[in-house]
Amino acid sequence: MGDDQGEQATMKAMTYEKYGASDVLSLSERPVPKVGPGEVLVRVRYAAVNPVDWKVMSGGLDGMMDTFFPVIPGWDVSGVVERVGIDTPEFEPGDEVFAYARKDYVHGGTFAEFVTVPVRALAAKPRSLNWGEAAGIPLAGLTAYQTLTRLDTGSGDTVLVHGASGGVGTFGVQIARALGARVIGTASESNHDRLRDLGAEPVSYGDGLVDRVKALAPEGVDVVVDYVGGVLDTTRAVLKDGGRHASIADPDVMAAGGQWMWARPDAAGLRALAALADEGKLRVPVAETFDLERTGEAFDLSRTGHVHGKILVRVSGE
Ligand SMILES: NC(=O)c1ccc[n+]([C@@H]2O[C@H](COP(=O)([O-])OP(=O)(O)OC[C@H]3O[C@@H](n4cnc5c(N)ncnc54)[C@H](OP(=O)(O)O)[C@@H]3O)[C@@H](O)[C@H]2O)c1
């Protein structure tokens, strides 16, 4: 690719022209995006799948975000800075980075050879992780980090993590432990050993959950983070008086005095997550890796709702 923004360089990208299921996705040639002020152009090594990718593709967020077709989906990325826009002194070509590349509208995402990212959404890649693991962190890691820090989680707290074995929950357990908290995590029984390995005390979700949590924490819990939705009654039943709670999947949480949260692009948060990874406190379990043209299969796997670890898409390199 040349240096002139005006030339019509193209790239491979997964795109869709209308809302739908994975059959609307196809591998296309698209123009390499122009790099705006305050943005950098990243040559993508890996992208990662999140449930929001196929929810956006289905039209589920149409009432909330402007969408410009054709859409290149994807918000998680690791890669190398190819070119910088005006006033981006933090980065230079060749920097190894990872990013939560969500913009304020839906159009140019990470399942492509190149993506532009505002510097507010970008940080140096954790040195100890490979490209795939690094791509698995940003959206889910920031979601977990922002919910737990918004609730002032710290040493002495007992935290209940609903959905502890999912992409967000896996990071939530590890971050809460790194913040010094005791963690009880809900997951199906087949994932209990994985949760113990991450430092949580596992409990099965479903009927009797309140009793199982109370058996472990008879005084109640200080903090509840809901990474699943539909669990507000349990949250209320196990939270101590004055306890704090948040959900990423249930707006009703607000009427119950909790925080309804949507992960924000946040360079400082990414740097904190990279530091945890490099200190050995944040591992990235990987469920499966797909090549770019198989992104639809990766979405379908995510849609099953019972994936253990991050689903990755390899765009270039090993
Ligand atoms: N607001 C935000 O900013 C934000 C950010 C990220 C994600 N989200 C949303 O949060 C949800 C989770 O995302 P994710 O990336 O973690 O998804 P994921 O990786 O697909 O994880 C789903 C997990 O949910 C678990 N699960 C299913 N039903 C459960 C229940 N009733 N109780 C406890 N766990 C249950 C499954 O565990 P088992 O296999 O053990 O059953 C599975 O591990 C999705 O709806 C996603 O769209 C919101």
Side-chain angles (χ1 to χ4, degrees):
M1 208 183 66
D3 286 327
D4 177 7
Q5 288 219 10
E7 80 184 48
Q8 284 298 299
T10 62
M11 64 176 186
K12 287 191 173 47
M14 293 304 294
T15 59
Y16 54 90
E17 304 266 0
K18 58 177 185 182
Y19 291 134
S22 294
D23 58 359
V24 299
L25 272 173
S26 61
L27 187 66
S28 315
E29 283 290 321
R30 295 292 306 153
V32 172
K34 294 176 184 169
V35 197
E39 289 187 333
V40 304
L41 182 70
V42 175
R43 182 184 288 270
V44 179
R45 302 295 294 265
Y46 274 75
V49 176
N50 292 284
V52 76
D53 296 324
W54 46 263
K55 292 180 184 179
V56 170
M57 188 171 74
S58 73
L61 276 72
D62 188 68
M64 192 167 101
M65 297 181 79
D66 282 325
T67 299
F68 301 99
F69 295 105
V71 169
I72 301 171
W75 289 349
D76 269 340
V77 64
S78 67
V80 179
V81 174
E82 177 81 7
R83 178 188 284 163
V84 297
I86 298 167
D87 193 21
T88 52
E90 301 93 330
F91 295 99
E92 56 186 45
D95 285 349
E96 299 186 348
V97 295
F98 71 144
Y100 172 33
R102 171 169 73 73
K103 302 186 179 133
D104 299 332
Y105 55 90
V106 176
H107 179 60
T110 59
F111 296 110
E113 289 180 300
F114 294 94
V115 64
T116 52
V117 185
V119 290
R120 67 185 155 92
L122 203 65
K125 167 186 166 290
R127 276 187 297 277
S128 58
L129 301 186
N130 63 36
W131 291 105
E133 292 166 332
I137 289 183
L139 191 162
L142 281 176
T143 305
Y145 182 75
Q146 289 171 8
T147 47
L148 289 161
T149 54
R150 176 89 66 91
L151 298 174
D152 288 326
T153 306
S155 161
D157 283 332
T158 298
V159 179
L160 173 65
V161 177
H162 288 292
S165 63
V168 179
T170 300
F171 293 129
V173 168
Q174 296 179 85
I175 294 165
R177 294 290 291 144
L179 292 169
R182 174 190 176 199
V183 179
I184 299 168
T186 71
S188 44
E189 190 134 5
S190 59
N191 284 320
H192 284 192
D193 283 344
R194 287 188 180 88
L195 286 198
R196 276 189 205 97
D197 194 40
L198 296 174
E201 296 163 56
V203 286
S204 299
Y205 54 80
D207 287 348
L209 174 58
V210 171
D211 293 338
R212 287 189 287 280
V213 174
K214 284 190 169 167
L216 290 173
E219 311 294 320
V221 303
D222 305 282
V223 172
V224 179
V225 283
D226 163 25
Y227 299 146
V228 170
V231 290
L232 198 48
D233 288 346
T234 302
T235 296
R236 282 200 191 96
V238 302
L239 200 62
K240 274 182 189 165
D241 281 350
R244 296 97 71 196
H245 65 115
S247 177
I248 62 168
D250 188 352
D252 292 343
V253 73
M254 290 184 290
Q259 306 260 345
W260 160 233
M261 292 184 63
W262 239 72
R264 295 178 178 180
D266 169 23
L270 287 174
R271 288 194 290 274
L273 292 166
L276 284 176
D278 286 339
E279 288 162 17
K281 294 178 180 162
L282 195 68
R283 283 181 272 152
V284 187
V286 173
E288 200 165 335
T289 300
F290 295 83
D291 287 328
L292 181 63
E293 61 272 21
R294 294 181 59 207
T295 300
E297 290 169 63
F299 282 17
D300 291 341
L301 178 60
S302 169
R303 216 188 297 261
T304 64
H306 293 282
V307 177
H308 318 126
K310 293 302 300 182
I311 302 167
L312 305 179
V313 169
R314 179 176 31 232
V315 178
S316 68
E318 73 284 357

